[in-house]
Amino acid sequence: DIQMTQSPSSLSASVGDRVSMTCRASQNIGNYVNWYQQKPGKAPKLLIYAASNLQSRVPSRFSGSGSGTDFTLTISSLQVEDFATYFCQQSFTTPETFGPGTTVDIK
Amino acid sequence: QVQLQESGPGLVKPSETLSLNCTVSDGSMNSFYWTWIRQPPGKGLEWIGYVSDNGNTNYNPSLKSRVTMSLDTTINQFSLKLRSMTAADTAVYFCVRGLPLQPGDFFDYWGQGTLVTVSS
């Protein structure tokens, strides 16, 4: 199975901050990474697909980059509603696997 | 707006079989991967597998011996059966729509999730 790791596991930030988090795959997966946001008690929500494509109706402050084994999710100006856990997921091969998540909380 | 809704028991006894259904509203079932993902309380996400619109299946090898997925496009529903349940299968189960990228996919619509607890 392809292992996905995320760093940091958690971060504290303030509204308006630029925030970045990384996801690393255990092997080359091209651009087959998707990013999701999950709030407590809710289903994950798709933010970015295929590494850098913004899902419809997702605010443009979210962006994704990377290819191969290293990927980044960036929030350009953190808003109150962005405090949540973010997961990366690889779809390069099955079984599809998720990273353990990065939790963004209020500083 | 596509909506997915899981239905099934919230409590299953050890060794029994879990049966979950997912009803898809306001959308066709064609050309998608109808997927099940689970999340143990306080933990990460695990891909269980999918059934495609033509009935092909792809399961996580870690669960393959215990899983069966199927779909019925006439009633816009797909289902999951997981046999020989243990406490380790306690989780929130999500039904999800996968949009194929060929290869790969992404999950654009999710059900709200249903908590399944395995306990006697």
Side-chain angles (χ1 to χ4, degrees), chain B residues 1-3 10 20-21 30 33-34 38 52 54 60 62 66 68 85 87 99 111 120:
Chain B
Q1 175 81 348
V2 176
Q3 294 184 333
L20 292 176
N21 291 319
N30 294 331
Y33 294 158
W34 299 100
R38 69 181 183 179
S52 65
N54 63 6
N60 192 320
S62 68
R66 299 194 289 133
T68 302
M85 293 281 282
L99 202 156
S120 55

Side-chain angles (χ1 to χ4, degrees), chain B residues 3-5 7 22 32 35 46 72 79 82 90 95 98 105-106:
Chain B
Q3 294 184 333
L4 286 76
Q5 178 66 57
S7 58
C22 182
F32 298 105
T35 303
E46 181 180 29
D72 187 340
S79 66
L82 184 60
T90 293
C95 61
D105 61 0
F106 58 87

Side-chain angles (χ1 to χ4, degrees), chain A residues 5 7 9 14 20 25 28 39 47 50 52 63 71-72 76 86 88 92-94 100 107:
Chain A
T5 58
S7 61
S9 58
S14 300
S20 291
N28 189 333
K39 297 181 179 179
L47 300 175
S52 61
S63 63
F71 303 87
T72 300
S76 60
Y86 295 84
C88 61
F92 178 74
T93 188
T94 59
K107 183 183 287 184

Side-chain angles (χ1 to χ4, degrees), chain A:
Chain A
D1 298 3
I2 294 176
Q3 306 303 315
M4 305 295 286
T5 58
Q6 290 185 246
S7 61
S9 58
S10 65
L11 66 90
S12 295
S14 300
V15 172
D17 284 353
R18 181 181 179 88
V19 168
S20 291
M21 61 197 76
T22 63
C23 175
R24 177 164 289 175
S26 59
Q27 66 183 72
N28 189 333
I29 57 171
N31 69 338
Y32 292 101
V33 159
N34 308 313
W35 290 93
Y36 302 86
Q37 175 195 69
Q38 187 178 34
K39 297 181 179 179
K42 300 294 187 182
K45 172 188 173 183
L46 176 68
L47 300 175
I48 301 285
Y49 65 92
S52 61
N53 295 276
L54 189 68
Q55 171 66 349
S56 175
R57 294 188 296 276
V58 172
S60 59
R61 63 180 180 272
F62 291 93
S63 63
S65 63
S67 67
T69 59
D70 294 318
F71 303 87
T72 300
L73 175 70
T74 298
I75 309 171
S76 60
S77 177
L78 198 66
Q79 301 301 301
V80 170
E81 59 267 31
D82 301 336
F83 292 98
T85 299
Y86 295 84
F87 294 97
C88 61
Q89 172 239 340
Q90 67 82 18
S91 69
F92 178 74
T93 188
T94 59
E96 300 187 27
T97 48
F98 292 83
T102 292
T103 298
V104 178
D105 60 28
I106 301 173
K107 183 183 287 184

